[in-house]
Short mmCIF file of all heavy atoms in Angstrom, two decimals:
data_model
loop_
_atom_site.label_atom_id
_atom_site.label_comp_id
_atom_site.label_asym_id
_atom_site.label_seq_id
_atom_site.Cartn_x
_atom_site.Cartn_y
_atom_site.Cartn_z
N MET A 10 0.78 -1.16 -0.04
CA MET A 10 0.03 0.08 -0.08
C MET A 10 0.89 1.24 -0.04
O MET A 10 1.59 1.44 0.96
CB MET A 10 -0.93 -0.07 1.26
CG MET A 10 -1.78 1.11 1.28
SD MET A 10 -2.80 0.78 2.75
CE MET A 10 -4.15 1.76 2.36
N THR A 11 0.85 1.95 -1.10
CA THR A 11 1.67 3.23 -1.18
C THR A 11 0.95 4.40 -0.68
O THR A 11 -0.36 4.54 -1.02
CB THR A 11 2.21 3.44 -2.63
OG1 THR A 11 0.96 3.59 -3.44
CG2 THR A 11 2.94 2.16 -3.03
N PRO A 12 1.51 5.30 0.17
CA PRO A 12 0.82 6.48 0.55
C PRO A 12 0.56 7.46 -0.66
O PRO A 12 1.35 7.50 -1.55
CB PRO A 12 1.79 7.01 1.59
CG PRO A 12 3.04 6.56 1.09
CD PRO A 12 2.90 5.22 0.61
N GLU A 13 -0.59 8.20 -0.56
CA GLU A 13 -0.86 9.21 -1.62
C GLU A 13 0.19 10.27 -1.55
O GLU A 13 0.55 10.73 -0.44
CB GLU A 13 -2.25 9.78 -1.48
CG GLU A 13 -3.38 8.64 -1.68
CD GLU A 13 -4.71 9.39 -1.57
OE1 GLU A 13 -4.78 10.53 -1.83
OE2 GLU A 13 -5.64 8.64 -1.27
N ARG A 14 0.53 10.71 -2.78
CA ARG A 14 1.55 11.78 -2.77
C ARG A 14 0.79 13.06 -2.76
O ARG A 14 -0.36 13.12 -3.27
CB ARG A 14 2.32 11.76 -4.13
CG ARG A 14 3.11 10.48 -4.11
CD ARG A 14 4.05 10.42 -5.34
NE ARG A 14 3.93 11.38 -6.38
CZ ARG A 14 4.63 11.51 -7.43
NH1 ARG A 14 5.61 10.79 -7.69
NH2 ARG A 14 4.36 12.54 -8.27
N PRO A 15 1.28 14.11 -2.04
CA PRO A 15 0.66 15.31 -2.02
C PRO A 15 0.69 16.02 -3.46
O PRO A 15 1.57 15.61 -4.28
CB PRO A 15 1.38 16.25 -1.02
CG PRO A 15 2.74 15.50 -1.11
CD PRO A 15 2.51 14.04 -1.36
N PRO A 16 -0.31 16.85 -3.57
CA PRO A 16 -0.44 17.66 -5.04
C PRO A 16 0.88 18.34 -5.26
O PRO A 16 1.46 18.74 -4.24
CB PRO A 16 -1.55 18.45 -4.96
CG PRO A 16 -1.95 18.53 -3.54
CD PRO A 16 -1.39 17.30 -2.84
N PRO A 17 1.21 18.49 -6.46
CA PRO A 17 2.50 19.28 -6.67
C PRO A 17 2.34 20.73 -6.32
O PRO A 17 1.12 21.20 -6.22
CB PRO A 17 2.72 19.20 -8.19
CG PRO A 17 1.32 18.81 -8.77
CD PRO A 17 0.64 18.00 -7.60
N LEU A 18 3.37 21.41 -6.11
CA LEU A 18 3.33 22.86 -5.71
C LEU A 18 2.83 23.59 -6.86
O LEU A 18 3.01 23.24 -7.98
CB LEU A 18 4.66 23.35 -5.25
CG LEU A 18 5.31 22.66 -4.04
CD1 LEU A 18 6.65 23.16 -3.80
CD2 LEU A 18 4.38 23.18 -2.76
N PRO A 19 2.16 24.75 -6.71
CA PRO A 19 1.62 25.52 -7.80
C PRO A 19 2.79 26.03 -8.56
O PRO A 19 3.96 26.27 -8.10
CB PRO A 19 0.84 26.63 -7.11
CG PRO A 19 1.27 26.63 -5.67
CD PRO A 19 1.87 25.33 -5.33
N HIS A 20 2.43 26.48 -9.78
CA HIS A 20 3.45 27.04 -10.73
C HIS A 20 3.77 28.29 -10.17
O HIS A 20 3.02 29.08 -9.78
CB HIS A 20 2.89 27.09 -12.14
CG HIS A 20 2.52 25.75 -12.69
ND1 HIS A 20 3.49 24.88 -13.06
CD2 HIS A 20 1.38 25.29 -13.08
CE1 HIS A 20 2.91 23.71 -13.51
NE2 HIS A 20 1.51 24.00 -13.51
N ARG A 21 5.06 28.84 -10.48
CA ARG A 21 5.56 30.06 -9.99
C ARG A 21 5.97 30.82 -11.12
O ARG A 21 6.43 30.26 -12.22
CB ARG A 21 6.74 29.87 -9.02
CG ARG A 21 6.32 29.13 -7.71
CD ARG A 21 7.42 29.19 -6.70
NE ARG A 21 6.99 28.52 -5.55
CZ ARG A 21 6.35 29.14 -4.55
NH1 ARG A 21 6.11 30.42 -4.53
NH2 ARG A 21 5.99 28.45 -3.41
N HIS A 22 5.86 32.10 -11.06
CA HIS A 22 6.50 33.11 -12.05
C HIS A 22 7.96 33.13 -11.93
O HIS A 22 8.58 32.45 -10.97
CB HIS A 22 5.92 34.46 -11.81
CG HIS A 22 4.49 34.61 -12.02
ND1 HIS A 22 3.99 34.43 -13.38
CD2 HIS A 22 3.44 34.93 -11.32
CE1 HIS A 22 2.66 34.60 -13.32
NE2 HIS A 22 2.32 34.96 -12.12
N SER A 23 8.54 33.67 -12.85
CA SER A 23 10.01 33.83 -12.95
C SER A 23 10.56 34.53 -11.61
O SER A 23 11.72 34.21 -11.18
CB SER A 23 10.55 34.37 -14.22
OG SER A 23 9.97 35.77 -14.24
N ASP A 24 9.75 35.48 -11.15
CA ASP A 24 10.20 36.23 -9.93
C ASP A 24 9.96 35.50 -8.65
O ASP A 24 10.22 35.94 -7.57
CB ASP A 24 9.64 37.46 -10.03
CG ASP A 24 8.09 37.51 -9.84
OD1 ASP A 24 7.58 36.56 -9.93
OD2 ASP A 24 7.43 38.62 -9.65
N GLY A 25 9.36 34.19 -8.72
CA GLY A 25 9.18 33.44 -7.52
C GLY A 25 7.73 33.59 -6.83
O GLY A 25 7.41 33.02 -6.03
N SER A 26 6.92 34.60 -7.55
CA SER A 26 5.60 34.76 -7.00
C SER A 26 4.63 33.68 -7.60
O SER A 26 4.85 33.08 -8.64
CB SER A 26 5.05 36.16 -7.32
OG SER A 26 4.90 36.35 -8.74
N VAL A 27 3.58 33.50 -6.78
CA VAL A 27 2.53 32.54 -7.17
C VAL A 27 1.42 33.32 -8.03
O VAL A 27 0.95 34.30 -7.58
CB VAL A 27 1.94 31.77 -5.91
CG1 VAL A 27 0.94 30.82 -6.34
CG2 VAL A 27 2.95 31.05 -5.24
N PRO A 28 1.01 32.75 -9.05
CA PRO A 28 -0.12 33.47 -9.77
C PRO A 28 -1.37 33.61 -8.95
O PRO A 28 -1.67 32.57 -8.18
CB PRO A 28 -0.49 32.59 -10.97
CG PRO A 28 0.77 31.70 -11.13
CD PRO A 28 1.42 31.61 -9.74
N ARG A 29 -2.00 34.68 -8.83
CA ARG A 29 -3.21 35.03 -8.02
C ARG A 29 -4.33 34.14 -8.28
O ARG A 29 -5.12 33.72 -7.47
CB ARG A 29 -3.57 36.33 -7.94
CG ARG A 29 -2.52 37.40 -7.52
CD ARG A 29 -2.95 38.69 -7.45
NE ARG A 29 -4.14 38.92 -6.66
CZ ARG A 29 -4.14 39.19 -5.42
NH1 ARG A 29 -3.00 39.50 -4.76
NH2 ARG A 29 -5.17 39.40 -4.79
N SER A 30 -4.57 33.70 -9.54
CA SER A 30 -5.77 33.13 -9.78
C SER A 30 -5.87 31.71 -9.52
O SER A 30 -6.97 31.12 -9.49
CB SER A 30 -6.18 33.36 -11.35
OG SER A 30 -5.24 32.70 -12.11
N ARG A 31 -4.66 31.06 -9.38
CA ARG A 31 -4.79 29.47 -9.17
C ARG A 31 -3.93 29.00 -8.03
O ARG A 31 -3.72 27.85 -7.93
CB ARG A 31 -4.30 28.84 -10.40
CG ARG A 31 -5.04 29.36 -11.67
CD ARG A 31 -4.91 28.43 -12.76
NE ARG A 31 -5.88 27.40 -12.77
CZ ARG A 31 -5.81 26.21 -13.32
NH1 ARG A 31 -4.78 26.04 -14.03
NH2 ARG A 31 -6.66 25.39 -13.18
N TRP A 32 -3.50 29.77 -7.09
CA TRP A 32 -2.53 29.40 -6.04
C TRP A 32 -3.24 28.43 -5.07
O TRP A 32 -2.59 27.57 -4.54
CB TRP A 32 -2.00 30.55 -5.37
CG TRP A 32 -2.88 31.35 -4.52
CD1 TRP A 32 -3.68 32.50 -4.88
CD2 TRP A 32 -3.28 30.90 -3.22
NE1 TRP A 32 -4.40 32.71 -3.89
CE2 TRP A 32 -4.24 31.98 -2.84
CE3 TRP A 32 -2.88 30.06 -2.29
CZ2 TRP A 32 -4.78 31.87 -1.46
CZ3 TRP A 32 -3.46 30.02 -0.94
CH2 TRP A 32 -4.38 31.04 -0.64
N TRP A 33 -4.61 28.54 -4.98
CA TRP A 33 -5.31 27.64 -4.07
C TRP A 33 -5.79 26.41 -4.47
O TRP A 33 -6.25 25.51 -3.86
CB TRP A 33 -6.44 28.47 -3.51
CG TRP A 33 -7.41 28.86 -4.47
CD1 TRP A 33 -7.46 29.91 -5.28
CD2 TRP A 33 -8.58 28.07 -4.86
NE1 TRP A 33 -8.48 29.97 -6.01
CE2 TRP A 33 -9.27 28.85 -5.79
CE3 TRP A 33 -9.18 26.91 -4.43
CZ2 TRP A 33 -10.38 28.33 -6.45
CZ3 TRP A 33 -10.31 26.51 -5.00
CH2 TRP A 33 -10.91 27.24 -5.99
N GLN A 34 -5.76 26.24 -5.81
CA GLN A 34 -6.34 24.93 -6.47
C GLN A 34 -5.38 23.81 -6.48
O GLN A 34 -4.31 23.98 -7.05
CB GLN A 34 -6.82 25.34 -7.87
CG GLN A 34 -7.96 26.32 -8.02
CD GLN A 34 -8.24 26.52 -9.39
OE1 GLN A 34 -7.46 26.44 -10.31
NE2 GLN A 34 -9.46 27.10 -9.59
N PRO A 35 -5.81 22.69 -5.88
CA PRO A 35 -4.82 21.57 -5.83
C PRO A 35 -4.90 20.97 -7.29
O PRO A 35 -5.67 21.21 -8.15
CB PRO A 35 -5.45 20.54 -4.88
CG PRO A 35 -6.88 21.02 -4.88
CD PRO A 35 -6.84 22.44 -5.08
N ALA A 36 -3.87 20.11 -7.56
CA ALA A 36 -3.79 19.53 -8.88
C ALA A 36 -4.84 18.54 -9.07
O ALA A 36 -5.31 18.37 -10.13
CB ALA A 36 -2.45 18.73 -8.93
N VAL A 37 -5.33 17.77 -8.10
CA VAL A 37 -6.43 16.87 -8.19
C VAL A 37 -7.49 17.25 -7.16
O VAL A 37 -7.31 17.47 -6.03
CB VAL A 37 -5.94 15.44 -7.87
CG1 VAL A 37 -6.97 14.37 -7.91
CG2 VAL A 37 -4.79 15.07 -8.79
N VAL A 38 -8.72 17.15 -7.78
CA VAL A 38 -9.88 17.51 -6.74
C VAL A 38 -10.34 16.11 -6.15
O VAL A 38 -10.74 15.18 -6.86
CB VAL A 38 -11.08 18.07 -7.66
CG1 VAL A 38 -12.26 18.18 -6.76
CG2 VAL A 38 -10.62 19.44 -8.24
N ASN A 39 -10.43 16.06 -4.84
CA ASN A 39 -11.07 14.97 -4.05
C ASN A 39 -12.48 15.15 -4.04
O ASN A 39 -12.90 15.83 -3.20
CB ASN A 39 -10.36 14.81 -2.81
CG ASN A 39 -10.58 13.63 -2.01
OD1 ASN A 39 -11.51 12.86 -2.40
ND2 ASN A 39 -9.69 13.28 -1.02
#
């Protein structure tokens, strides 16, 4: 039984900031 992997980190801009429109959305919806 393998543990579930956490969703990947959100994409970042070149300056390191997280885009405002999608930072809270996980990669997979449970």
Side-chain angles (χ1 to χ4, degrees):
M10 182 175 199
T11 61
E13 289 184 29
R14 292 182 358 173
L18 293 174
H20 300 291
R21 296 187 180 273
H22 289 296
S23 59
D24 62 352
S26 65
V27 177
R29 292 184 62 95
S30 62
R31 307 195 84 200
W32 69 269
W33 61 274
Q34 293 178 340
V37 177
V38 174
N39 190 344

